Amino acid sequence: EHVHSLIGPDTESKTRLRIAQLLADWTDDREEEEERQLTRALMSVPSGDAYVDTRYMIVVSQCRLFVRRKELTWAEQKLKWALTDAQQRDQRHWVHHFALDLAHMYLDKGDSQNASSVLQTLVVYAQRTCDKFGMAVALIQLLAISTQARSWSTADSLLASLDSLAGDPAMAGVPQIWTRFWVLKAGAMHCRGRLADAQEACSHARQSLMEWQSVFARQLAANCASAGGSVLVADGRCVRGWSYYEAHAWVMLMSSYVVRDQTYEPALRFLSLALEGVARGEADGAASLLQPLKLHIFLRMADLCIAAQSMGEAKRAIDQALAISTNDGSFWRSSRDAVALRWAMYLHRTGHSAEAMDSYRCVLRGRHEDLRFAAQINLTMLQLVGPSTECRQALRSTVAGLVQTVEALPNGPHESVRRALLEFVQGIETEEPVKSKTHLLACLKMSTDIADTALQGWTLCLLATLVLPAGQYEQAMRMCAAGQNIAQSANDPLQKAAAIGILSQVEHAVGDPDRRDKLLEIDQQCLEQFNLRIQD
């Protein structure tokens, strides 16, 4: 009895909990023993609020075991019970913990509706208890969900609430929270075509990241940086979020999306910085956590290199993405369509048409709507090159299906990209010059609105080919000159060759053979430059 009074009433529960935690950390085949220890630990916890922390820590370990064994129903029931119990006992820290765990579990299952419901409950609770920290974390999670769903009215309301919290002096000193907020805000603004707002948000994100870097450096020096800085201690509680390495990579990745430079070099520099953050995280033991983000970076790098016609760099980025995605079977199933689309685009741009078509069709068999649309647009463009009459009929049917798909979408900047691409395809597909010109003019307006200079350049070149047969030489020359300027700024030899080639036809039509011959010579040089790039 004397010994029992010294060690405390909940010592047995804590001991069994620690045994279970060690079994989880150091063994792979002792789950039954781990469950037995946790069950006995929970049964031996004394009643009363004095021991509620011990009880809840056991529940957390039980839920992690259930999730590890894919017994998500049991985990959901446990978390719901614990959340309700913590609310009744007014255990603010544990309400926050269980609500976030439950919301994350729903998100992992793809159930954003229930995740949003749980987070809304947390917001209401935080408002009632004047918990600004808890409110900010819940609102940021809701912002991530609404941005992914493109629910812009909800996102605007959340951004307004978070902007007011960001200016609250009581919320200063937690750059871990605000770094993620600014990244999400930049993403939301970018998706909506508000480029200046997205760039401003990225600037704030980089500033917040610098503040976090100072905090993280002090933690490393004091040997108290938990899980790469992902555990934030604030307002008397611990919250697990992004590690510093994840935050660094996300900030640089988002910066690569919002920077505007036709040479693509600034965007690629941001991606190199993102990979440096990932490499530091891998060296700190966070390799598995950073794999999805690393894949995203290499896919973005492949997109930029293909657009810049740096085909050797694009191939290396795709190879890296493929190596990452094939490390794990479940990861490959979720990422293979994204990798396959880049591989198809690479094959397409390097002239391997048959293999590109096969890869595009593989993506079309997937379930990701955005990837399927991109694959269908690219496949249609590839098939439009010299099709037979029968093929032309099939393509017309495909384009009609794409038109129906796009018309069913809500109006918005993201959908404007699809509409612009579709107008471009329709302008090529139709055999009637008047309709073709109408579609291409619509594409030119949309591509100008969304600041897609590459699409502008190609549209101008195609419009020039339509007005040239009608004898509108001056208009054709202006269009080609504008297309050539865009190609020159973007260092795009193929688009430049197209514009100069059409200009040479104008000079031939107006009777200036010397000027035409000079243009044809420049045109050939541009094509040779392009061929060298794709053969890299």
Side-chain angles (χ1 to χ4, degrees):
E1 290 180 2
H2 177 67
V3 173
H4 183 73
S5 65
L6 286 176
I7 63 176
D10 62 343
T11 300
E12 179 185 349
S13 302
K14 289 181 177 178
T15 302
R16 292 189 182 278
L17 171 61
R18 185 58 184 146
I19 292 170
Q21 290 171 338
L22 290 170
L23 289 170
D25 291 340
W26 297 99
T27 65
D28 297 322
D29 56 352
R30 302 291 300 276
E31 288 183 347
E32 289 185 7
E33 176 62 18
E34 180 187 349
E35 183 176 18
R36 189 178 71 85
Q37 291 290 346
L38 289 171
T39 302
R40 295 189 65 179
L42 193 60
M43 291 172 60
S44 62
V45 178
S47 58
D49 288 345
Y51 307 103
V52 72
D53 285 344
T54 303
R55 183 179 297 108
Y56 288 156
M57 285 189 290
I58 296 168
V59 170
V60 169
S61 289
Q62 285 182 317
C63 290
R64 288 175 181 168
L65 174 61
F66 291 145
V67 170
R68 208 163 61 242
R69 296 197 304 201
K70 309 298 182 184
E71 297 174 355
L72 300 183
T73 302
W74 285 104
E76 180 183 353
Q77 291 177 358
K78 274 284 184 183
L79 286 170
K80 283 182 174 179
W81 170 84
L83 177 58
T84 303
D85 190 71
Q87 286 176 320
Q88 291 172 349
R89 296 176 184 271
D90 203 24
Q91 295 286 327
R92 192 171 67 172
H93 163 64
W94 286 108
V95 169
H96 191 92
H97 182 98
F98 290 128
L100 289 180
D101 272 8
L102 184 58
H104 289 156
M105 193 187 72
Y106 282 135
L107 288 174
D108 288 342
K109 292 164 58 178
D111 187 353
S112 58
Q113 184 174 354
N114 273 324
S116 297
S117 178
V118 171
L119 292 169
Q120 289 286 3
T121 302
L122 182 56
V123 170
V124 172
Y125 179 82
Q127 288 173 333
R128 181 169 62 82
T129 58
C130 300
D131 179 8
K132 294 180 180 180
F133 175 81
M135 189 186 303
V137 172
L139 289 173
I140 288 172
Q141 295 282 7
L142 284 167
L143 178 60
I145 295 171
S146 62
T147 300
Q148 187 173 14
R150 297 172 192 153
S151 179
W152 302 126
S153 59
T154 303
D156 283 339
S157 175
L158 293 167
L159 284 169
S161 299
L162 285 163
D163 279 330
S164 64
L165 281 172
D168 192 325
M171 291 300 296
V174 280
Q176 298 93 322
I177 291 179
W178 300 117
T179 301
R180 188 176 187 204
F181 163 63
W182 290 117
V183 169
L184 288 171
K185 183 173 183 178
M189 296 299 103
H190 176 255
C191 287
R192 302 170 72 179
R194 293 164 57 177
L195 184 60
D197 290 337
Q199 291 172 336
E200 182 183 1
C202 270
S203 178
H204 284 298
R206 291 193 291 272
Q207 179 61 40
S208 188
L209 183 67
M210 289 176 62
E211 295 173 13
W212 190 353
Q213 184 180 23
S214 299
V215 173
F216 187 51
R218 290 195 296 270
Q219 290 175 337
L220 288 174
N223 199 26
C224 63
S226 179
S230 63
V231 178
L232 166 65
V233 180
D235 198 22
R237 78 195 80 180
C238 296
V239 177
R240 184 175 294 275
W242 276 352
S243 69
Y244 171 76
Y245 309 114
E246 288 175 280
H248 180 277
W250 270 116
V251 169
M252 299 308 164
L253 176 60
M254 184 53 64
S255 297
S256 80
Y257 278 101
V258 305
V259 68
R260 278 294 177 267
D261 189 300
Q262 293 178 24
T263 63
Y264 304 102
E265 290 179 6
L268 288 168
R269 282 199 296 272
F270 277 124
L271 292 178
S272 296
L273 291 172
L275 287 175
E276 288 179 12
V278 170
R280 287 197 292 269
E282 289 175 333
D284 198 23
S288 59
L289 180 67
L290 293 165
Q291 288 303 293
L293 181 52
K294 188 176 181 180
L295 174 65
H296 194 160
I297 295 168
F298 277 116
L299 291 176
R300 172 65 175 156
M301 189 173 286
D303 289 339
L304 290 173
C305 291
I306 289 171
Q309 297 169 6
S310 300
M311 305 314 291
E313 293 298 322
K315 175 65 164 56
R316 282 186 279 275
I318 294 169
D319 286 344
Q320 290 284 353
L322 183 63
I324 295 167
S325 62
T326 51
N327 281 339
D328 179 82
S330 59
F331 191 31
W332 168 243
R333 285 190 292 274
S334 64
S335 61
R336 62 186 175 188
D337 289 342
V339 178
L341 177 63
R342 274 67 178 193
W343 179 239
M345 292 166 65
Y346 170 80
L347 293 170
H348 185 169
R349 272 45 169 196
T350 53
H352 299 84
S353 301
E355 296 94 330
M357 287 184 182
D358 289 340
S359 294
Y360 283 135
R361 291 186 180 110
C362 286
V363 180
L364 288 173
R365 291 194 288 269
R367 296 182 179 179
H368 196 291
E369 181 187 348
D370 288 345
L371 296 178
R372 291 176 68 244
F373 183 87
Q376 186 64 76
I377 284 285
N378 278 279
L379 179 60
T380 303
M381 290 288 295
L382 191 54
Q383 291 171 327
L384 279 169
V385 181
S388 62
T389 303
E390 295 79 6
C391 184
R392 176 73 68 173
Q393 291 295 333
L395 286 174
R396 190 167 289 120
S397 176
T398 299
V399 172
L402 287 171
V403 171
Q404 289 181 349
T405 300
V406 171
E407 286 179 348
L409 296 171
N411 288 323
H414 182 82
E415 287 69 32
S416 295
V417 176
R418 292 187 175 190
R419 288 186 169 87
L421 288 169
L422 191 53
E423 292 287 359
F424 186 79
V425 170
Q426 287 177 285
I428 299 174
E429 180 270 334
T430 184
E431 296 175 334
E432 300 179 34
V434 174
K435 287 186 177 180
S436 180
K437 186 176 180 180
T438 301
H439 286 303
L440 290 173
L441 285 171
C443 175
L444 183 61
K445 182 181 183 306
M446 292 179 184
S447 60
T448 303
D449 291 341
I450 61 178
D452 189 331
T453 53
L455 190 55
Q456 281 178 267
W458 285 112
T459 306
L460 286 165
C461 289
L462 286 172
L463 281 168
T465 65
L466 289 175
V467 301
L468 182 58
Q472 300 175 12
Y473 303 133
E474 186 175 347
Q475 189 174 1
M477 290 182 71
R478 284 200 302 270
M479 289 177 175
C480 287
Q484 184 182 353
N485 287 336
I486 290 172
Q488 185 74 31
S489 299
N491 193 22
D492 184 342
L494 185 61
Q495 192 175 94
K496 187 177 178 181
I500 292 174
I502 300 166
L503 278 173
S504 71
Q505 295 179 38
V506 176
E507 298 297 345
H508 176 72
V510 298
D512 190 341
D514 292 338
R515 174 68 176 163
R516 181 203 61 185
D517 291 344
K518 289 179 181 177
L519 288 171
L520 286 174
E521 184 178 341
I522 297 172
D523 182 67
Q524 186 61 36
Q525 291 172 359
C526 291
L527 288 173
E528 290 174 358
Q529 184 183 355
F530 171 74
N531 286 328
L532 285 174
R533 284 191 182 184
I534 66 171
Q535 291 167 10
D536 176 16

